[in-house]
Amino acid sequence: MDLENPPAAPAPPPAPAGPAELRASDADRDRIAQILGDALAEGRLTAEEHSDRLDTLYAVKTVGELEVLVRDLPAPGGVHASPAYPTASSTPGGPAETIVAVCSSSARKGRWRPGPHTRAVSVMGDITIDLTEAVFEQQVTEINVTCVLGNVEVLVPENVTLRGYGSGVLGNFEVRGEGRGETDPQAPVVIVRGFALLGNIEARPKLGARLVDLARKLRKRMEG
């Protein structure tokens, strides 16, 4: 044993990450997206500000970075004006709807009520999700799509804010109309997230289809 050069002491274990440094989960992002949607409905954020923060929401990685996006907004359940649409917490709960097409076709269209989350899976099949006549019961509606050797089309009214986050491998993921300036800041926000493998995912506004006074109608239904 070398008494002049004793062995170095083992390095202390790394300190655990603080709450702000933890990686953000899907539930964390959904919570922040709901706060941003409420702020848009209440007029606290402009449509452009909401769009910018929503883009950042899906780009950052930690809980602390997410919290920065809403630090100037009231927390859920705080004292603030009633939103134009019911929030997710005031909408009757239930599992996310799943739409599946395996070597077949499936569609949701007409007068239907999409939940906050819808999952679509197409394997050598065709799926159409038509929201042009849908009754939105929340500010933010998210559609998660997995497409393998199939085709998925999402249609929205032309005055709804449409955002897309996805990719394709030997396939196509395309969201049209994200940069339109004529979207109604009081209208719902539809987020399409997806992955296409040898398939096609397309989301776009349907020209001529608009939501008219939907916020006023929803308030009237809630009041009575």
Side-chain angles (χ1 to χ4, degrees), residues 97-115:
E97 180 178 8
T98 300
I99 305 170
V100 179
V102 179
C103 297
S104 62
S105 62
S106 184
R108 292 291 186 275
K109 58 185 177 180
R111 204 70 172 166
W112 66 294
R113 288 176 167 79

Side-chain angles (χ1 to χ4, degrees), residues 139-161:
Q139 179 70 24
V140 178
T141 298
E142 185 169 317
I143 301 172
N144 289 276
V145 182
T146 301
C147 181
V148 180
L149 290 166
N151 182 70
V152 178
E153 183 180 40
V154 180
L155 300 173
V156 303
E158 62 179 355
N159 58 328
V160 162
T161 299

Side-chain angles (χ1 to χ4, degrees), residues 20 29 35-36 40 42 55 60 63 84 92 100 106 113 117 123 129 133 136 149 151 165 171 189 197 199-200 205:
R29 297 184 196 279
I35 295 174
L36 294 176
L40 174 65
E42 295 164 9
D55 286 339
V60 300
V63 173
V100 179
S106 184
R113 288 176 167 79
H117 299 276
V123 180
I129 301 176
E133 297 181 19
F136 292 87
L149 290 166
N151 182 70
Y165 306 91
V189 178
L197 175 62
N200 178 66

Side-chain angles (χ1 to χ4, degrees), residues 32-33 35-36 39 44-60 66-73 163 165:
I32 299 300
I35 295 174
L36 294 176
R44 299 179 188 274
L45 293 177
T46 66
E48 183 177 358
E49 289 171 332
H50 178 265
S51 177
D52 290 342
R53 295 194 190 196
L54 208 58
D55 286 339
T56 305
L57 170 69
Y58 291 100
V60 300
L66 289 180
E67 295 296 341
V68 170
L69 298 175
V70 296
R71 64 185 175 186
D72 59 343
L73 300 174
R163 312 300 294 167
Y165 306 91

